[in-house]
Amino acid sequence: MIVYGTRYGAAASTSEEIAKILRQEELEVRVVNAKQEKVKGITEYDLVIVGSGIQIHRWTKEPEKFLQKFQKELAKKKVALFVCCGSTQPLDNKTDKAEAIKNAKTKYLEEKAAKYHLQPIALGLFGGVYNYNKVPWLFGKFMEAIKPQLEEAGVPQTEPGLYDTRDLNAISGWAKELAQIVQPFP
Ligand SMILES: Cc1cc2nc3c(=O)[nH]c(=O)nc-3n(C[C@H](O)[C@H](O)[C@H](O)COP(=O)(O)O)c2cc1C
């Protein structure tokens, strides 16, 4: 099962990409948008993947609530966490990329796992999307300020107004490794 929370769509399409790969590896997958659906139980799942987009250093509420609610059961299961975030591709010249990635992994993934006493079998730090079709008024200035930086960094616009910093190969590679752990001899 994949449980995710998203604000701009990156964690949703990342979850679908992971699900697609797992299905290609003959696994049955349920994908849950935690904002729209409440999970009642997790007993039947061999692997639980929980993911979120990041905004101002925070996960979305719902997948975090899921981690909290099921933490005891999750501690006995195979769990993987992922986030979609901007830190994989810093947009200013001052930030060191390796340092940004290391900090994001610690803050968004390792600390989250520790908070809920989990020992995930995998942590996925993926890029994100900057969606100019869905800018909350609060962040309008920030989004306008980073637009030239996105252009300058050569971040592709995968749809009009949608700059995508994700590496889809990294996402599918991560999913394939998970499939092998869950089902080593298909
Ligand atoms: C207002 C705003 C704040 C953001 N804050 C952060 C941040 O603190 N750290 C980070 O790594 N990425 C940050 N990002 C980049 C997002 O993580 C990226 O847009 C991602 O796609 C969000 O995931 P979602 O589309 O699933 O919601 C921010 C993006 C926006 C628009």
Side-chain angles (χ1 to χ4, degrees):
M1 174 164 63
I2 306 172
V3 180
Y4 71 87
T6 187
R7 300 178 181 92
Y8 306 103
S13 50
T14 299
S15 296
E16 290 302 340
E17 185 62 26
I18 295 167
K20 188 182 90 187
I21 301 295
L22 296 178
R23 287 181 186 126
Q24 279 169 6
E25 302 290 325
E26 314 281 326
L27 293 165
E28 256 180 69
V29 189
R30 176 180 168 203
V31 182
V32 176
N33 177 345
K35 240 176 214 173
Q36 294 173 352
E37 209 184 320
K38 273 232 166 80
V39 176
K40 296 208 177 81
I42 60 169
T43 327
E44 70 256 49
Y45 301 103
D46 298 314
L47 167 66
V48 181
I49 303 173
V50 187
S52 179
I54 297 292
Q55 183 164 275
I56 320 185
H57 306 300
R58 300 179 88 103
W59 277 45
T60 46
K61 277 197 286 289
E62 295 80 4
E64 174 123 26
K65 276 192 190 143
F66 171 84
L67 290 178
Q68 191 178 21
K69 182 173 173 191
F70 290 107
Q71 59 180 305
K72 281 207 180 110
E73 268 184 85
L74 286 170
K76 293 180 228 143
K77 274 195 187 288
K78 291 191 181 80
V79 175
L81 303 180
F82 78 86
V83 288
C84 288
C85 69
S87 303
T88 56
Q89 184 156 354
L91 294 171
D92 59 89
N93 299 326
K94 283 173 256 153
T95 310
D96 179 76
K97 189 172 170 172
E99 189 74 11
I101 289 175
K102 189 169 153 260
N103 290 341
K105 198 174 171 204
T106 306
K107 207 173 171 64
Y108 305 150
L109 292 165
E110 290 167 353
E111 287 180 5
K112 196 63 71 190
K115 183 175 175 187
Y116 295 105
H117 309 289
L118 300 172
Q119 289 182 317
I121 57 168
L123 298 174
L125 185 80
F126 306 128
V129 296
Y130 294 92
N131 190 342
Y132 283 85
N133 308 315
K134 209 178 162 187
V135 180
W137 67 267
L138 195 59
F139 302 124
K141 279 202 174 133
F142 164 76
M143 292 293 279
E144 275 319 305
I146 63 167
K147 202 166 188 175
Q149 292 165 323
L150 287 164
E151 300 273 355
E152 204 176 308
V155 174
Q157 227 180 127
T158 50
E159 284 171 39
L162 211 143
Y163 293 81
D164 195 336
T165 70
R166 285 173 303 171
D167 175 354
L168 286 186
N169 289 329
I171 294 168
S172 48
W174 189 78
K176 271 188 195 149
E177 279 178 27
L178 281 179
Q180 271 169 15
I181 295 172
V182 181
Q183 196 182 42
F185 307 109

